Amino acid sequence: MTLTAKPLRPTDGDDLRDVLATHDLVLVEFYTAGCAMCQAMEPVLGTVQRATEVTVAMVNPGDDIGLVETYDVRSVPTLVLFEDGAEVARLADGFQGAESVVEFLDTHTEGVSV
């Protein structure tokens, strides 16, 4: 499967479910508009997308408020790793650099770096 160079941008819960259904490993950032830490994560996630075999998606639960409950989003940015559509790990500790995110992915998968 060819990976995109930029994170995917699902617009709502249906789009996100489609992403999770069509990719084996997906790192989803839940963010909100106006969140400075979330904005700072965007280039980091682009780097992670290019450096790993994980598909990266960014979704704003404010665009589909049901995402807050469905995915238990309590703060932003929240990174959730899904494998075969199921959550396997979560990172909700604010801004993370690319190295930290890749380390998080490596810890919770069988090694995703290329």
Side-chain angles (χ1 to χ4, degrees):
M1 175 180 309
T2 302
L3 297 176
T4 60
K6 293 183 179 182
L8 302 175
R9 298 276 189 158
T11 57
D12 59 23
D14 289 337
D15 281 353
L16 180 56
R17 281 185 288 281
D18 288 345
V19 169
L20 296 176
T22 57
H23 297 86
D24 296 335
L25 282 172
V26 182
L27 178 67
V28 177
E29 178 200 26
F30 293 93
Y31 73 94
T32 58
C35 165
M37 282 191 290
C38 300
Q39 291 172 349
M41 286 297 301
E42 187 170 353
V44 168
L45 294 174
T47 299
V48 171
Q49 174 75 51
R50 290 183 300 276
T52 70
E53 298 170 3
V54 175
T55 299
V56 177
M58 300 170 65
V59 64
N60 183 347
D63 294 338
D64 183 347
I65 202 67
L67 292 169
V68 172
E69 285 303 316
T70 301
Y71 297 101
D72 194 31
V73 177
R74 299 294 171 230
S75 64
V76 292
T78 292
L79 299 175
V80 181
L81 178 63
F82 294 89
E83 186 170 6
D84 298 325
E87 180 179 335
V88 294
R90 175 178 295 250
L91 185 60
D93 296 332
F95 176 82
Q96 301 292 315
E99 199 171 288
S100 294
V101 175
V102 170
E103 183 178 306
F104 166 77
L105 294 173
D106 283 340
T107 298
H108 296 287
T109 64
E110 294 183 15
V112 295
S113 299
V114 290

